[in-house]
C-alpha cells in the first residue's frame, strides 16, 4: 500500500513538474498568467547619474526587482552597435553593426529578437517605438506588428501609453533619447545639473509608461516583465570608446518573475533579448549562437 502511495506521489509529482515545465516553456507564469515583456531603453544614461538623480519611478522598479549598475555594453559604445547588441543578443563581432550607419548588419544569422518571436510564436504582437529612428533598421519585413518613430521622448511615452492601454501587446521595445542629448550638450556627469535634470525628466516618462500597464483591461491576467537598460554611458560630452565610463550601464528586470536584489554575476546588454525571449517561453537555441544569457529571473 505504501509502495502504491509512493508511486502515486511520484507520478503526481512528475505530472506537476511536467505542467510547470510546460508553463515556463509556453510563456505562462506559475499563476497561469500570460507572460509579456516591456523593454525601456534610456539612451546615454549612466548608472551613477541615475542613482544621483531623483528618479522615484525608476527606483521603484529596481528596488522591487533584479538589478545591476555594473552591466556592460558593446566595446563600440555608440547607439547603432549597442542597441543592436541589446536587440539581437550578440556583440558587434556577430551582428556587424559597427556605427550608426547600419551599413551591413548580419540579419541572416543574427536578426532582431522580434524575428525569433515571429518564427517561434507568430501569434505574438510585437511593438517598437523610438525617438531615435535608426534603431528600427535591423527589423526586417514582418518582424514587428507595429513600429513608430516620434520626435520627442514625451511623444514616445504618450504613444506607448496609449498603445499599452488599447492594444493586444505581447512585447514592446521603447527607446528614449533625450538623456543622451543632454550628455552631449552638458556632459555625462553626476556634476552636471542639466544631465541629472534630463534623467529626472525621463523618469517621469517611465512612470507614465509603467502606469499605463495597470490600466490594461487584461492586466490581472498578464505577467509583465519590465527590463530597463541603456545603450551606453559617456564622458567629456561624448561616448563610443571601450572605457568603463562609456561601457558601464544599468540593467533592471522588474515584475513577478524577476528575482529581488543585486545581480552579482556579469551582466551585458546582450542579456536583454535573451531574457525577454525566455520570459516569452522561447529559450535561446544553441544553434542561434547568442552571446547573452538570462539575467534577473
Ligand atoms: Zn550619443
Amino acid at each position: 500500500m505504501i509502495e502504491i502511495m509512493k508511486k502515486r506521489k511520484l507520478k503526481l509529482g512528475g505530472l506537476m513538474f511536467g505542467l510547470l515545465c510546460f508553463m515556463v516553456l509556453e510563456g505562462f507564469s506559475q499563476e497561469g498568467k500570460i507572460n509579456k515583456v516591456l523593454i525601456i531603453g534610456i539612451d546615454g544614461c549612466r548608472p551613477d547619474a541615475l542613482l544621483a538623480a531623483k528618479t522615484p519611478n525608476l527606483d521603484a522598479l529596481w528596488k522591487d526587482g533584479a538589478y545591476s549598475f555594473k552591466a556592460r555594453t558593446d566595446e563600440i559604445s555608440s547607439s547603432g552597435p549597442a542597441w543592436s547588441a541589446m536587440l539581437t543578443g550578440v556583440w558587434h563581432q556577430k551582428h556587424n553593426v559597427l556605427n550608426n550607419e547600419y551599413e551591413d548588419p548580419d540579419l541572416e544569422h543574427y536578426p532582431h529578437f522580434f524575428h525569433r518571436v515571429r518564427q517561434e510564436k507568430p501569434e505574438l504582437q510585437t511593438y517598437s517605438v523610438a525617438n531615435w529612428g535608426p534603431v528600427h533598421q535591423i527589423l526586417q519585413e514582418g518582424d514587428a506588428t507595429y513600429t513608430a518613430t516620434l520626435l520627442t521622448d514625451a511623444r514616445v511615452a504618450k504613444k506607448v501609453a496609449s498603445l499599452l492601454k488599447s492594444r493586444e501587446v505581447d512585447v514592446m521595445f521603447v527607446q528614449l533619447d533625450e538623456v543622451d542629448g543632454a550628455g552631449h550638450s552638458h556632459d555625462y556627469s553626476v556634476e552636471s545639473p542639466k544631465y541629472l535634470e534630463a534623467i529626472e525628466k525621463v523618469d517621469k516618462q517611465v512612470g507614465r509608461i509603467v502606469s499605463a500597464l495597470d490600466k490594461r483591461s487584461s492586466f490581472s491576467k498578464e505577467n509583465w516583465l519590465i527590463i530597463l537598460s541603456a545603450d551606453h554611458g559617456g564622458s567629456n560630452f561624448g561616448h563610443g570608446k571601450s572605457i568603463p565610463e562609456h561601457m558601464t550601464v544599468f540593467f533592471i528586470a522588474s515584475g513577478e518573475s524577476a528575482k529581488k536584489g543585486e545581480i552579482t554575476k556579469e551582466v551585458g546588454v546582450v542579456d536583454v533579448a535573451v531574457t525577454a525571449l525566455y520570459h516569452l517561453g522561447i529559450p535561446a537555441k544553441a544553434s542561434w549562437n547568442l552571446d547573452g544569457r538570462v539575467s534577473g529571473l
Side-chain angles (χ1 to χ4, degrees), residues 43-44 78-79 100 177 180-181 184 188 231-233 238-239:
D43 208 299
S78 302
S79 287
N100 290 349
D177 202 56
D180 190 54
H184 284 295
Y188 301 77
D231 55 342
H232 54 71
H239 56 84

Side-chain angles (χ1 to χ4, degrees), residues 99-142:
N99 49 48
N100 290 349
E101 306 305 318
Y102 288 80
E103 281 146 346
D104 190 21
D106 185 0
L107 299 178
E108 192 195 333
H109 300 103
Y110 303 106
H112 192 295
F113 84 95
F114 282 13
H115 188 84
R116 313 249 185 224
V117 172
R118 182 166 61 112
Q119 279 180 328
E120 302 296 318
K121 295 198 170 194
E123 70 279 12
L124 298 189
Q125 308 289 305
T126 55
Y127 284 67
S128 184
V129 184
N131 178 338
W132 193 66
V135 78
H136 292 136
Q137 288 202 32
I138 55 167
L139 284 168
Q140 301 171 77
E141 183 80 38

Side-chain angles (χ1 to χ4, degrees), residues 75-97:
E75 284 167 9
I76 312 176
S77 56
S78 302
S79 287
W83 288 126
S84 299
M86 191 183 289
L87 296 168
T88 61
V90 297
W91 300 114
H92 76 265
Q93 290 88 344
K94 291 181 185 170
H95 66 57
N96 205 39
V97 175

